Each structure stands twice: as C-alpha cells, then as structure tokens.
Amino acid sequence: MSHVSVRRIALSELTTLKVGGPAELWEVEDVEGLTEATQAAYRILGAGSNLLVADAGVPERVIRLGRAFNDIARMTGERELWLGAATPLPGLVRRAQRLGLSGLEGLLGVPAVLGGAVAMNAGTRFGEMSDTLQEVEVFVGGALERLPADALDLSYRHAQLPQGAVVVRARLRLTASDPSAVQARMDEVDAARKGQPKIKSAGCAFKNPPGDSAGRVIDAAGLKGLRVGDAMVALEHGNFIVNLGHASARDVCRLLVMIQERTPVPLALEWRRWGFDTGGA
Ligand code: FAD
Ligand code: EPU
C-alpha cells in the first residue's frame, strides 16, 4: 500500500459549506506518509465542517488522514479505547450507543472526524469532547508523541495543540450504560438540534458570547434571511450561514462583516479561516 496519495482538488468538494478554491491534497495512510507530507508547509483537514476556505484556495499542502486512521470497525465495547483520528464522529456516537457505552451522546449531530473534534473540543451544552478524552497521540516535529488531555487546555471550542501537531489517535474513556438510556439522552440532544438548518453550512459561524447565544443576538437584530449572493443567514437559526447554491468565500466574508456591524455584542468567529492571510478572498 502506498503511504500517501497526492492530487489537486477544489476544497469546496471537501468542506461542508461547499466553498473554497484549489489545493494539493495529501492523503496519508501511515507515519511514513505523514513524514513525507510534512516536509513542506501544510494544513490539516478533518471533515471540513468548521472551515471557511478562500476562493483562491491555499498554497500549503492539505493533509488528510486516510482510511487506515478510521477505527470505527474496531470498536468492540471496551470502555477505554484508542481510536484513529479519521474515525467519523456520527458513526462513533451511534456505535457507542449500540454497545451500551455512554459519554459521547452530547456530540450527536456534529459532522466531524475525531481529530477535528479534538482540535476544536467540539460539543454542545449536553457534553463535549473533553468529557471523555484522556490522551492524544500527535505527529509533531517528525515523530509521534503522547500528550495527556490535561495538557491541551481544553475549554469551550478550544484545544491548545503544539504548533503543527497532527492528531493521529485519541484515547477515550466511556462508561457502561444501558443502550436505551444512552438513546434517551441522544433523543434529547436531537430534539435540541431540531431548529438547525439542514442545508449546506459549516455549523455555527460565531462563538456564543458569555451567557448568551450568538444565534439569538443575530436573530434579535433582525438579520435572518440577510443575503450576499448565495450566502444567507439561515431562517431557522441566526448563527448558521447557509450556502444556497454557489456562494463564494467572498460572499460569506461580506455577510460575516455585515452581521458583526449590525449586532450590538462583539461576535468572535468559531470557524477556522484558511487562505485569507495569503491574499485570498
Ligand atoms: P475541520 O473543520 O476539517 O478542521 C477544523 C480545525 O481542526 C482546523 O483548524 C483543522 O486544521 C483542525 N484539525 C482537523 N483535524 C485535525 C487533526 N487530525 N489534527 C490536528 N488538527 C486537526 N461543532 C460543535 O462543536 N458543536 C456542534 O453542535 C456543531 N454542530 C455542527 C453542525 C453542522 C451541520 C456543521 C456543518 C458543523 C457543526 N459543528 C459543530 C462544527 C464542526 O463540526 C466542529 O467544529 C468539528 O469539530 C470540526 O471537525 P472537522 O473534523 O470537520 O474539522
Ligand atoms: N435562539 C433564537 N434565535 C435563533 C437561534 C437561537 O432566539 O435564531 C435562541 C433559542 O431559542 C434558545 C437560545 O437562543 O433560547 C439558544 O439556542 P440553541 O439552543 O440553538 O443553542 P445555541 O447556543 O445557539 C449552541 C451551539 C451549537 C450546538 C447547540 C446545541 C455555539 C456557538 N453553538 O447553539 O453548536 O449545536 O448549542 O447544543 O456554541 C456549532 O458550534 O457549530 C454548533 C452548531
């Protein structure tokens, strides 16, 4: 098996917002592949569900962990387990429920892979990645290294990884529970997400300001339905920007600025932006 495959792609194909220009995708299958891919400037792509990528794309290599890092099939019911960073979170949450393992229910509906969920400390008010994360294995400075979760400064939508570190695996600790009890908690999370839009987006654009919801603030300012090109503030939830078809990063950026100008509370971006420091849209 080859360690790495390289191809040119449009990042709009690999982001949930369906926005973003060209890049060189380095899909790696093992540590040798990572060693090769990290010989020049790079970025790390998970499921692309929290990214706004410039229309001009990015000049850096975009590294994505391949199938060899997807351990969904290896989940067998142990409470303490190491899983590869390309394991899809939705499958992980469902499989944990079937196996009678609790701890991941709050992450229902987060369309990430495990590495991206760790890097963002993804979560909802029902629970976040840090609840179960014990340790990570990262590839950094050309070698694998283990870091305890305590060393990552995990907080609301934040993890402090060493510069350039690629999360390769994560060790989670789950608790044994009745599958129907796990399902009941998942139903609760699902119900709380019912008001979120179903069309192309990158989740919430802004972090919630302390004690409030950015969605509520944007809604109260009357901005639902505000539109630049095909980028629109969702009608269902003010903190989602949806792509109605052919939105560009430039459209999305203009809409973000308009929202920030028209809301009374400072709103900080939750999304990661790629390519804007290099003259992109
Ligand atoms: P990406 O978006 O690909 O990357 C995000 C960041 O993580 C980038 O900086 C990237 O470089 C870094 N990264 C990715 N993989 C690795 C790795 N292996 N090693 C090191 N760094 C890495 N988020 C929530 O927290 N709660 C929600 O309820 C929620 N709901 C959402 C609903 C929808 C419909 C959508 C589209 C998104 C939602 N999000 C939510 C946002 C998003 O799913 C999370 O931020 C998620 O953690 C991003 O993971 P990803 O794998 O897609 O990472
Ligand atoms: N609200 C409005 N109008 C809106 C949106 C929300 O009035 O347009 C009100 C709701 O009625 C509710 C309150 O604001 O009273 C909170 O809304 P919601 O329950 O939707 O939660 P949120 O704070 O807006 C957060 C996360 C979501 C996560 C949900 C569910 C952030 C930025 N957002 O949203 O995460 O799915 O809770 O727990 O923390 C994400 O991070 O990408 C994301 C989608």
Side-chain angles (χ1 to χ4, degrees), residues 8 10 16 18 24 27 29 42 46 57 70 72 75 81 89-90 101 128 179 194 210 232 245 250-251 259 281:
R8 293 289 294 175
T16 56
K18 301 295 172 205
E24 200 170 79
E27 190 133 39
E29 295 295 347
Y42 59 92
N70 177 352
I72 191 79
M75 260 185 102
L81 66 170
L89 218 61
L101 295 170
E128 53 187 24
K194 276 281 179 278
M232 188 180 81
R250 183 178 289 271
D251 296 335
I259 294 169

Side-chain angles (χ1 to χ4, degrees), residues 25 64 107 187:
L25 180 70
R64 188 167 71 168
L107 294 162
D187 291 345

Side-chain angles (χ1 to χ4, degrees), residues 58 64 84 95 117 130 138 140 151 162 224:
V58 294
R64 188 167 71 168
R95 199 162 170 111
S130 58
V138 293
V140 63
K224 281 181 172 173

Side-chain angles (χ1 to χ4, degrees), residues 86-97:
T87 305
L89 218 61
L92 186 57
V93 172
R94 279 196 305 274
R95 199 162 170 111
Q97 182 276 329

